[in-house]
Amino acid sequence: SIFFHLSNSGFRGVWVLDSLSAAIGHKRQSTPWTVWPGGHVSKYSLSWLAENSFERKKQLTVQPRILWNSDIYRNANIPSSKWDKFMSCNDELKKFLQNYLLYGIAFVDDVPATVEATEAVTQRVGLVRETTYGRMWSFTSDFSRGDTAYSQLALDRHTDTSYFQEPCGIQVFHCLKHEGTGGRTLLVDGFHAAEKLRQKSPENFELLAQVPIRHEYIETTDSHRNHMTGIGPVLNVYPWNNEMYLIRYNNYDRSVINTVPHDMVRRWYVAHRELTTELRRPENELWLKLTPGKVVFIDNWRVLHGRESFTGLRQLCGCYLTRDDVLSAARCFGLQA
């Protein structure tokens, strides 16, 4: 046996490398174990220690993804789930979640055009997150909340609830009715655009990943009073492997930039303009028409959405889902998330 010491935050234990015979064959494997102060013994396999080491962790992807532009996504020819099978078959739900994890968007077709059916299909995936907009919301272009989303105007690409300290994880849309023209939905893979920026201008990518900025939402109406702020960088990466996990991009809700010195603000605007150029490239835009029966699930931490202007009566319903519960559902199917 080989003895060595483990020092962790000033806490010292004695490790023992004990050679054991493998159950199969004549190979020998070593099982390290440590004796802690007080006599408690912990044993670990070498494979567990290797798998959970920092050197291993920094080489692994937390969540595998396929970055896409319009051509990449359309050529992948990803099938939508069907309402009946989706609601009754776990294999169908697993396929749906796998597509959602890989691409940041997934669809369910043939959903009854009601708020109740929309709620049922979302609850098949995870828990609804109630916000100031309610639990399940349904709206038309009546400008009832003083928000351009409640109008017939075009909306540029953006992520929702950037003014929350933790933006909502999943956005769900279902167009229940549209009697008019226009109104196509725009989807853009924010991670694809950000990776292009990282390749072309790594210093600008780093700046957008480091500078905290504020987004703000103020609502003062007879029925609603809200003042929300969320502070964080536009791009968020895991520090151990530099993998992106969140983009917070919303030009409508961005507030005063007063969290960094003036000279850095000027550099930030240059970097943000370059990211915006990537996000607005026509080849990165996936346009589709949401029709009654088609429900889209959007990863609000990755995929930006918008719309073109429209005429006539257009009624949408939807909700936000909690991100943790959706990822938990995927892991329970053995998916990497």
Side-chain angles (χ1 to χ4, degrees):
S1 297
I2 302 172
F3 290 81
F4 61 102
H5 288 84
L6 171 69
S7 180
N8 182 13
S9 302
F11 186 72
R12 189 173 294 274
V14 179
W15 281 76
V16 180
L17 197 61
D18 187 14
S19 296
L20 300 174
S21 296
I24 300 177
H26 300 289
K27 293 183 179 179
R28 299 170 69 85
Q29 65 181 15
S30 297
T31 302
W33 49 285
T34 184
V35 181
W36 302 100
H40 179 74
V41 176
S42 299
K43 291 187 178 183
Y44 306 87
S45 68
L46 285 179
S47 60
W48 186 92
L49 290 172
E51 183 67 25
N52 289 278
S53 68
F54 174 73
E55 287 72 19
R56 173 67 171 161
K57 205 66 177 176
K58 69 182 181 181
Q59 297 174 358
L60 295 177
T61 299
V62 175
Q63 184 178 320
R65 297 181 174 92
I66 296 176
L67 305 185
W68 52 268
N69 58 21
S70 178
D71 285 343
I72 292 173
Y73 185 82
R74 293 191 184 281
N75 290 336
N77 197 27
I78 305 159
S80 299
S81 295
K82 301 298 182 183
W83 158 262
D84 289 339
K85 190 173 183 181
F86 181 79
M87 297 300 291
S88 60
C89 176
N90 283 339
D91 285 342
E92 188 70 12
L93 176 58
K94 181 179 180 180
K95 292 176 185 177
F96 170 92
L97 289 169
Q98 181 67 89
N99 288 333
Y100 172 81
L101 293 173
L102 290 176
Y103 294 96
I105 54 175
F107 299 86
V108 180
D109 287 345
D110 303 331
V111 179
T114 65
V115 175
E116 292 75 18
T118 307
E119 182 175 13
V121 80
T122 58
Q123 289 180 317
R124 178 80 167 126
V125 179
L127 298 178
V128 175
R129 177 176 176 178
E130 187 165 3
T131 68
T132 182
Y133 301 106
R135 177 178 167 82
M136 295 295 299
W137 38 258
S138 178
F139 67 90
T140 60
S141 52
D142 57 5
F143 212 65
S144 60
R145 297 294 295 267
D147 191 317
T148 50
Y150 293 73
S151 73
Q152 293 181 326
L153 300 174
L155 295 177
D156 192 24
R157 62 226 68 198
H158 63 280
T159 56
D160 268 17
T161 60
S162 51
Y163 40 77
F164 286 0
Q165 198 57 38
E166 180 184 327
C168 292
I170 290 88
Q171 168 86 71
V172 180
F173 285 123
H174 187 187
C175 182
L176 302 180
K177 180 189 298 184
H178 185 197
E179 299 169 352
T181 61
R184 288 182 306 162
T185 294
L186 168 64
L187 300 172
V188 178
D189 186 352
F191 286 1
H192 177 271
E195 284 295 349
K196 292 294 185 183
L197 174 66
R198 174 147 51 183
Q199 295 168 12
K200 295 177 181 178
S201 303
E203 67 285 353
N204 284 341
F205 179 96
E206 290 299 322
L207 192 65
L208 293 177
Q210 293 172 359
V211 173
I213 63 168
R214 183 166 55 134
H215 291 80
E216 191 167 17
Y217 178 72
I218 301 174
E219 183 179 23
T220 55
T221 65
D222 292 338
S223 54
H224 296 92
R225 296 183 63 85
N226 293 289
H227 188 171
M228 299 179 183
T229 63
I231 300 175
V234 171
L235 305 176
N236 293 257
V237 301
Y238 294 125
W240 60 88
N241 65 356
N242 289 322
E243 176 185 343
M244 268 186 295
Y245 67 89
L246 185 154
I247 180 171
R248 187 191 302 251
Y249 183 97
N250 193 313
N251 290 326
Y252 299 107
D253 299 327
R254 192 171 68 245
S255 187
V256 177
I257 302 178
N258 53 13
T259 51
V260 292
H262 178 66
D263 62 333
M264 188 174 289
V265 174
R266 294 175 63 88
R267 291 167 48 210
W268 183 91
Y269 272 112
V270 171
H272 189 270
R273 185 178 298 114
E274 189 170 1
L275 174 62
T276 298
T277 298
E278 292 296 332
L279 290 169
R280 290 181 175 171
R281 292 191 187 281
E283 62 267 26
N284 291 334
E285 299 178 343
L286 178 66
W287 290 94
L288 55 93
K289 180 72 172 180
L290 292 181
T291 54
K294 178 179 285 293
V295 176
V296 59
F297 292 72
I298 304 169
D299 184 346
N300 189 54
W301 283 24
R302 170 184 173 182
V303 176
L304 287 65
H305 65 277
R307 70 158 185 246
E308 66 180 355
S309 62
F310 63 91
T311 65
L313 175 64
R314 184 173 185 259
Q315 182 182 2
L316 252 70
C317 78
C319 62
Y320 298 112
L321 298 182
T322 58
R323 181 179 181 81
D324 289 337
D325 293 289
V326 174
L327 296 184
S328 172
R331 295 186 193 110
C332 287
F333 281 116
L335 301 174
Q336 185 175 342

